[in-house]
Amino acid sequence: MNQTVEQWDFPQRDIQIGISQCLLGDKVRFDGGHKQSRFCTDTLGQFVNFVPVCPEMGTGMGTPREAIRLVDREELGVRVEGNRTGDDYTEALTQFSERAVERLPHLGGYILLGKSPSCGMERVKVYRTNGHLSDVRRSGVFAEKLLERYPSLPVEEVGRLNDPILRESFLTRVFAYSTWQQIQQEGMTPGKLIEFHTQYKPILMAHNQQGYRDLGAWLAGVDKENIEQKAEQYLPKFMAILKQPASRKNHTNVLMHMQGYLKRFLASRERRLLSQTIDQYRTGALPLIAPLVLMRHLFQVHGCDYSGNYRYLFPYPEPLAINEQP
Ligand code: SF4
């Protein structure tokens, strides 16, 4: 059966995204300020529900408060200490973080404020006891617990969402992960698992062709007996492929493959235009959005009987593709 683009509209606000609370404009920072991200509040917020967490407020530190940092105390490990007083907040922050992440299994993604000793995803500075910077970089305390507890969850720092490729990767993973969660809630079956894999075929291929083939081969033995185990093992493999950067060469292959589906519907002028646009993308003369927009238009006009094409052309709601700064 042909599917129209409208059938693939994402249900608005069903997706729950965890977020460092200061990014929503709440004045929870140590200095009484916030770090509002307009991309999050004004754009992404139209399509998802945010679940705000401020780990430092959660431990009862209040605002304004003393700034904290990570300090390598060697035999005592890395501690969280007040910049001025040297007060040790490690236990309070760790215990809050462990409790908080247990309450978040419904999330479809997480956006963190970078550099924070609580929320930073990676490369957070660690100091030596003499006050100098150490060579070690690590995650903030809350972020570490989050990543440990949900290794497949799409997690990104807000600053990295400035990069269009990282933003696209994050959004694609969020909407794929949330789709997966919805299927899991409704009850996974071998048929639904295969259908999910088929829908994401072009996207997987754009990220890693061999990875897609290997995952498909691994999936071949799925049945009613092993579905629970297979589904549990499938998700981390699937998310690991999506985390790899998609290449121009792979996108070109996918576009040419999809062109094959469309060919029989197109007039010769349309066919030529599509071939030229894909080729200009292949050589770097055009960005990916050019063949995508043209294909979206052609699929909208002519329809298509393969759902994977729609997932590739519309991996997340279209307004989110607009290049706004977080
Ligand atoms: S602890 Fe996290 S949410 Fe709270 S102010 Fe710091 S970065 Fe923002």
Side-chain angles (χ1 to χ4, degrees), residues 85-234:
T85 61
D87 286 353
D88 192 324
Y89 296 97
T90 315
E91 295 311 323
L93 205 49
T94 303
Q95 282 175 18
F96 170 83
S97 300
E98 284 172 351
R99 282 198 310 273
V101 298
E102 287 307 318
R103 296 198 297 267
L104 304 172
H106 57 296
L107 295 185
Y110 212 107
I111 300 175
L112 293 160
L113 178 65
K115 298 183 185 168
S116 154
S118 305
C119 290
M121 186 174 77
E122 54 191 19
R123 299 185 309 278
V124 178
K125 289 176 183 168
V126 178
Y127 291 84
R128 294 202 183 101
T129 47
N130 63 9
H132 293 159
L133 259 186
S134 97
D135 296 333
V136 177
R137 297 286 183 276
R138 50 164 283 173
S139 307
V141 175
F142 175 80
E144 184 180 64
K145 297 296 171 197
L146 181 75
L147 294 164
E148 272 173 18
R149 180 68 177 83
Y150 306 106
S152 295
L153 184 73
V155 179
E156 195 49 280
E157 286 184 350
V158 72
R160 284 164 51 92
L161 296 176
N162 278 315
D163 180 325
I165 293 173
L166 295 178
R167 184 172 63 243
E168 172 168 1
S169 164
F170 175 69
L171 292 172
T172 300
R173 284 182 287 133
V174 164
F175 282 84
Y177 189 86
S178 299
T179 302
W180 175 268
Q181 281 179 312
Q182 197 178 333
I183 300 170
Q184 283 283 44
Q185 263 176 18
E186 291 164 5
M188 185 62 77
T189 64
K192 286 183 185 173
L193 179 50
I194 299 287
E195 169 66 11
F196 179 86
H197 184 70
T198 307
Q199 282 186 7
Y200 276 93
K201 173 183 170 180
I203 291 180
L204 288 166
M205 289 188 75
H207 286 261
N208 185 328
Q209 298 200 32
Q210 190 57 45
Y212 164 74
R213 281 192 283 274
D214 292 345
L215 190 53
W218 176 85
L219 210 48
V222 65
D223 58 30
K224 272 189 196 161
E225 306 304 317
N226 63 17
I227 179 61
E228 212 172 301
Q229 192 192 12
K230 279 278 188 188
E232 198 180 307
Q233 293 171 356
Y234 176 86

Side-chain angles (χ1 to χ4, degrees), residues 13 19 23-25 36-46 50:
R13 295 194 163 272
I19 190 165
L23 295 175
L24 294 183
Q36 183 175 9
S37 156
R38 289 279 173 200
F39 170 74
C40 294
T41 57
D42 300 355
T43 306
L44 187 55
Q46 292 176 42
F50 286 120

